[in-house]
Amino acid sequence: MEKTQEPTDAPQDQNVPASKTVETSSGSTVVKLTKRAAITQILLAVVANITIISSGMGIGFPSIAMIELTNSTTSVVLSESEATWFAAITSIMCPFGGLLSGYLLDKIGRKKALYSINILSIISWAIMSFASRTDPDILFIELMVARVIIGLAIGLSSTPASVYAAEVGHPNLRGRLTLLTAGFTGIGMLIVYSLGYMFKDDWRYVCTICGAFTIVSMLTVIPLPESPSWLVGKKRLPEAERYLKVIRGIKEDNHPEIKAELKALEENIARFRSSESKKTSKMVQLKKPEVYKPLTIMCTFFVFQQFSGIFVIIVYAASFSIEAGVAIDPFLSAVLVGFTRVVTTLLMAFISDKFGRRPPALFSGFGMACCMFGLAACAIFPVADTELNWIPTALLVTFIFTATLGFLTLPFSMNAEVYPTKVRGFASGLTIFFGYTMSFIILKVYPTMVSMLGSENVFLFFGVVSLIGILFVYFFLPETKGRTLQDIEEYFRGDKCTDATKQDTKA
């Protein structure tokens, strides 16, 4: 499952071209961006996010393993109940990984947190690679242990790479760099879907390949410099200065702009610690309208996200394709789903900048509803043996495209925008915990829904949820594009919810 960093970009001051430093709206001073520094920062952010690919593979793995695990004629298999636990258990573990992520980021740093993700992933892939071939009970236990571990790794991966990218990136690059985490999660899913297509009858071999890739991913972390922000916070100033020079593309010793940026980092951290020492109880904060209003809105948004069928398709892509009547190979269908998600995630960076949050979300809900109603019609009136057999495939790909434009990505990205600074980490954590809990519920009950209601009625259910989601977006979801974090906080503190959501925000 995919998370974005708080947007902290500030435009470069065009009125001070003679200076090599830029002062952001928060008062921080950074060295002016050069071509060399930009290339360095992009490469560092990309390398940090290579770690996230393994988490994406972990999210998508049940899709390519489920058919063989439940229908194999050459190996032991899982029961239907065991298979749903196999698919869903990661969703209930991810929140705990997210909580652990915040602790590790502060205690051991960004770089070692990336190592932790890779180590957990390697252990998980190794357990599944050597899972029992003869005893179904042992196989189930091994798979559950492995999926619990990868669930923690997925939760861990939601923050370190994006935080690292935000801290090493110049303000002019920072917003785009923090989107890499969502993109690399999608790439990981596309890779595992492709491996499933190439090795349909050997999910253990797929696990071995994923484990080998994760070992390489861990090795790529070795040359990464630690975040200067974290080093300053730990009072390791010589190291912070050395790495900051690398990140900013400066070779000279005692460079005045580097000294100025280090001083600004020290001052910002001192202010943060001062405010932390004065903070009130989290439960008291939750009673304030600027906290409970966005918390209610974001948790509700996650309900619509999960019960509109998005994560069902991502996790059960191959088997879902069979139930939807897709004419092509179900594993190839999963590959198309993964490819569509990657491409659309890349487009989101430009769409969100131009149109804001609400218009793409409204379009997303409408497109998802149409696609689900179309799949229901295809289930009622099968087209598999007709010249219209391409329609279910087109509907499935279009569903992923429209979902990624809004309902899949926006709950995660807006989660970093709508809460006051003093409770952002706590409230965001609560929201993500709730979202993953909803994910666990729908992934666990989906096969039962299909067997009890029939696939056509399940598709209709997902379509109706998407339609209701449109109404929720129109009446309650605020537009955050073009608003500062302070503006958003003041908006929720007032009593203008319905009117404000209807205001058009110009690009």
Side-chain angles (χ1 to χ4, degrees):
M1 308 246 164
E2 304 140 304
K3 190 174 178 182
T4 57
Q5 182 70 11
E6 171 191 336
T8 55
D9 293 20
Q12 182 175 323
D13 188 352
Q14 301 298 325
N15 296 321
V16 288
S19 174
K20 292 185 179 179
T21 62
V22 177
E23 185 171 327
T24 68
S25 60
S26 62
S28 299
T29 302
V30 294
V31 177
K32 186 176 180 180
L33 184 66
T34 63
K35 182 177 180 180
R36 176 180 176 180
I39 293 173
T40 300
Q41 292 164 27
I42 291 170
L43 287 175
L44 291 177
V46 168
V47 171
N49 276 281
I50 290 175
T51 292
I52 309 304
I53 292 178
S54 181
S55 296
M57 292 190 293
I59 294 172
F61 179 71
S63 173
I64 62 100
M66 194 69 71
I67 294 177
E68 175 69 9
L69 279 170
T70 54
N71 297 289
S72 176
T73 58
T74 60
S75 182
V76 292
V77 297
L78 303 181
S79 67
E80 180 178 320
S81 176
E82 291 172 337
T84 58
W85 276 107
F86 166 73
I89 191 64
T90 51
S91 294
I92 207 64
M93 296 308 301
C94 285
F96 300 102
L99 295 175
L100 181 61
S101 176
Y103 175 80
L104 292 179
L105 281 172
D106 181 56
K107 292 299 181 182
I108 66 176
R110 287 46 168 154
K111 184 173 179 177
K112 290 182 179 178
L114 293 173
Y115 279 130
S116 301
I117 297 169
N118 283 303
I119 292 171
L120 287 174
S121 299
I122 291 169
I123 294 172
S124 175
W125 293 121
I127 292 173
M128 290 192 288
S129 297
F130 298 101
S132 175
R133 296 176 179 269
T134 57
D135 190 321
D137 294 330
I138 294 177
L139 172 65
F140 177 64
I141 293 172
E142 290 172 331
L143 290 178
M144 291 300 290
V145 170
R147 295 300 291 172
V148 164
I149 294 173
I150 200 70
L152 288 172
I154 293 169
L156 266 174
S157 69
S158 62
T159 307
S162 59
V163 167
Y164 182 84
E167 291 179 342
V168 303
H170 189 277
N172 292 353
L173 292 174
R174 193 171 295 150
R176 300 292 171 84
L177 293 182
T178 55
L179 287 172
L180 288 173
T181 296
F184 275 78
T185 300
I187 290 172
M189 292 168 57
L190 176 59
I191 290 174
V192 82
Y193 290 158
S194 300
L195 290 173
Y197 177 65
M198 291 185 287
F199 307 105
K200 300 176 184 177
D201 300 325
D202 197 347
W203 56 266
R204 291 179 180 83
Y205 187 60
V206 172
C207 291
T208 302
I209 296 174
C210 292
F213 177 89
T214 308
I215 293 174
V216 174
S217 170
M218 185 169 64
L219 295 177
T220 64
V221 178
I222 294 175
L224 282 181
E226 180 56 89
S227 163
S229 296
W230 182 78
L231 290 171
V232 169
K234 296 300 179 181
K235 300 187 183 303
R236 293 160 59 177
L237 297 183
E239 292 176 79
E241 182 177 359
R242 183 170 74 251
Y243 290 141
L244 189 59
K245 286 166 55 182
V246 173
I247 292 166
R248 301 303 183 212
I250 291 176
K251 295 183 178 180
E252 302 95 311
D253 292 331
N254 298 316
H255 196 283
E257 281 74 28
I258 291 292
K259 294 290 186 182
E261 186 169 349
L262 283 173
K263 183 179 179 181
L265 285 173
E266 288 184 89
E267 292 173 349
N268 287 340
I269 290 171
R271 282 196 298 268
F272 171 77
R273 286 175 174 167
S274 176
S275 64
E276 280 289 289
S277 65
K278 300 176 183 177
K279 66 182 180 182
T280 57
S281 164
K282 293 292 191 300
M283 296 309 297
V284 173
Q285 295 287 354
L286 285 176
K287 297 177 181 179
K288 297 182 178 180
E290 63 267 31
V291 180
Y292 73 75
K293 284 183 179 180
L295 182 65
T296 302
I297 289 173
M298 294 312 301
C299 286
T300 305
F301 203 0
F302 269 105
V303 170
F304 287 110
Q305 178 201 69
Q306 294 299 329
F307 287 87
S308 60
I310 299 173
F311 273 72
V312 166
I313 293 180
I314 289 174
V315 174
Y316 291 104
S319 56
F320 185 91
S321 298
I322 297 173
E323 290 154 6
V326 172
I328 63 174
D329 185 294
F331 291 96
L332 180 58
S333 176
V335 173
L336 289 176
V337 167
F339 179 76
T340 303
R341 185 180 186 276
V342 170
V343 172
T344 314
T345 300
L346 296 177
L347 291 176
M348 271 299 294
F350 303 96
I351 293 173
S352 183
D353 282 347
K354 184 172 180 60
F355 298 104
R357 312 294 189 261
R358 283 165 48 79
L362 291 169
F363 175 78
S364 175
F366 177 76
M368 290 160 57
C370 290
C371 291
M372 279 299 170
F373 291 145
L375 287 173
C378 291
I380 297 171
F381 306 103
V383 295
D385 298 322
T386 71
E387 60 183 12
L388 300 177
N389 60 2
W390 56 270
I391 291 180
T393 304
L395 289 172
L396 183 61
V397 171
T398 303
F399 178 89
I400 291 297
F401 173 77
T402 55
T404 307
L405 286 179
F407 277 55
L408 175 58
T409 54
L410 286 181
F412 292 102
S413 62
M414 292 185 68
N415 195 42
E417 297 179 301
V418 296
Y419 296 115
T421 303
K422 54 183 172 291
V423 294
R424 185 167 295 128
F426 175 70
S428 296
L430 282 181
T431 308
I432 294 298
F433 188 95
F434 179 84
Y436 277 126
T437 301
M438 295 300 101
S439 177
F440 169 77
I441 291 172
I442 189 62
L443 292 176
K444 185 72 177 69
V445 304
Y446 167 70
T448 304
M449 291 174 64
V450 172
S451 62
M452 293 181 62
L453 303 176
S455 57
E456 65 277 9
N457 290 318
V458 174
F459 298 154
L460 286 173
F461 171 78
F462 290 153
V464 170
V465 171
S466 300
L467 280 182
I468 300 174
I470 297 174
L471 298 177
F472 163 76
V473 169
Y474 183 78
F475 287 106
F476 298 106
L477 191 71
E479 179 57 76
T480 57
K481 176 180 177 289
R483 295 183 178 183
T484 67
L485 299 180
Q486 185 63 33
D487 290 337
I488 297 170
E489 181 176 345
E490 291 175 355
Y491 156 66
F492 281 117
R493 191 178 292 120
D495 189 22
K496 305 174 182 178
C497 187
T498 303
D499 293 337
T501 57
K502 293 181 181 180
Q503 291 177 358
D504 291 329
T505 303
K506 295 183 180 180

